[in-house]
Amino acid sequence: MLKDELKQRLDDYVEFTRHLQGLKNLKYGLGEAKFHMDGTAFRAPWCNAQTDGPALRARAILAYAQHVIKQANGDTTRAHELFALVRTDLDYVTKVWMHPGNCDIWEESRGMHFYTLLAQKTALEEGARMAHTLDVDNGVAHVYERAAQEIAHKLPEFWDVDHGYIVATLNKTGGIRTKNSNLDAQVLLAALHHGTPKLLTSRAVAATVNRLVHVFDRLYVVNHVQRTKIDGQWVDVAAAVGRYPEDVYDGDGSRGGNPWSLLTSSVAEYHYRLAVHMGNGPLAQYLVQVGDTYMARVARHTDADHTMREQWDKSSGYGRGAVHLTWSYAAHTSASRWRLLAIASLD
């Protein structure tokens, strides 16, 4: 049973989604990426459309609907109300997923993006399953399943044979011009947030993560420090990880990219989840130990009062950019949860 406070927050989220879906005269419709805190439209220039947004909303509300069904003792009235909102977003996704001019999650590049497509595919698959569960018109489930299959056929094109990693964007149509490597940590985020266990444990994702770590280990001065003291003991620390090698955003301007807290936590989570997949054994133990070195890196650059910043200065290691960025805490909390699961699997 959800605690009353959490249930209220979820219901508030549902109503805010309903409000946003009902706004009129939005240039990019449901793909509009930014609104004012009071729910009014943001009219200034921004990187739009971001079509991962409707898929993310759908996944969040579908998860809530699943819980509602389990608690409803056969009454699916509320679940049907939630699914009506989901359909609005997923119907939109089926119409726009193939458009090449949408913005990526960093709000910098236009094209077809691995993260966006994987989010859309997973949302459509979950939406189709919910349509079957609620016995909604089977035509709805079929439309979602067909779109998800079409996206699935597109995803292998992101594997770059020459470079040996999954690239972030295909068919670039605009945005920053300096991102020549197309090597980007958002590929790892896609696998963590929306990937199946088969994808997450694939050689393609492993190759991409290894390349990211190798590049950033050499790129940032802070990575010259390989040990830190935690609770009075010296421990190994892994490389601090940034967004992509050509990044110039430093949290305040464009003087050169830095490592990000949430991305370093995400590499830790990746190793813990591999450990859970492997089960008990020496390899799983090793993966947990590697994950711990990334968590130690995060601890080294986190304030004593546990305040997290978006980035760490690549030379000094001090925090930069947004303070108390929700994503930083969420990524670290998720990694911590998977660490507990990994430790339990070793018993």
Side-chain angles (χ1 to χ4, degrees), residues 41-81:
F42 181 81
R43 302 294 184 184
W46 202 253
C47 196
N48 280 302
Q50 294 181 39
T51 57
D52 62 308
L56 300 180
R57 278 199 302 247
R59 291 201 67 198
I61 295 176
L62 282 167
Y64 185 28
Q66 286 279 14
H67 174 81
V68 168
I69 290 171
K70 291 178 182 178
Q71 301 296 322
N73 296 319
D75 184 357
T76 60
T77 303
R78 178 58 171 161
H80 275 279
E81 293 175 355

Side-chain angles (χ1 to χ4, degrees), residues 80 83 87 91 127-145:
H80 275 279
F83 190 64
R87 284 189 63 174
D91 288 352
R129 288 195 290 271
M130 182 59 71
H132 288 303
T133 298
L134 296 177
D135 198 24
V136 178
D137 175 16
N138 286 335
V140 173
H142 176 70
V143 169
Y144 296 166
E145 289 165 347

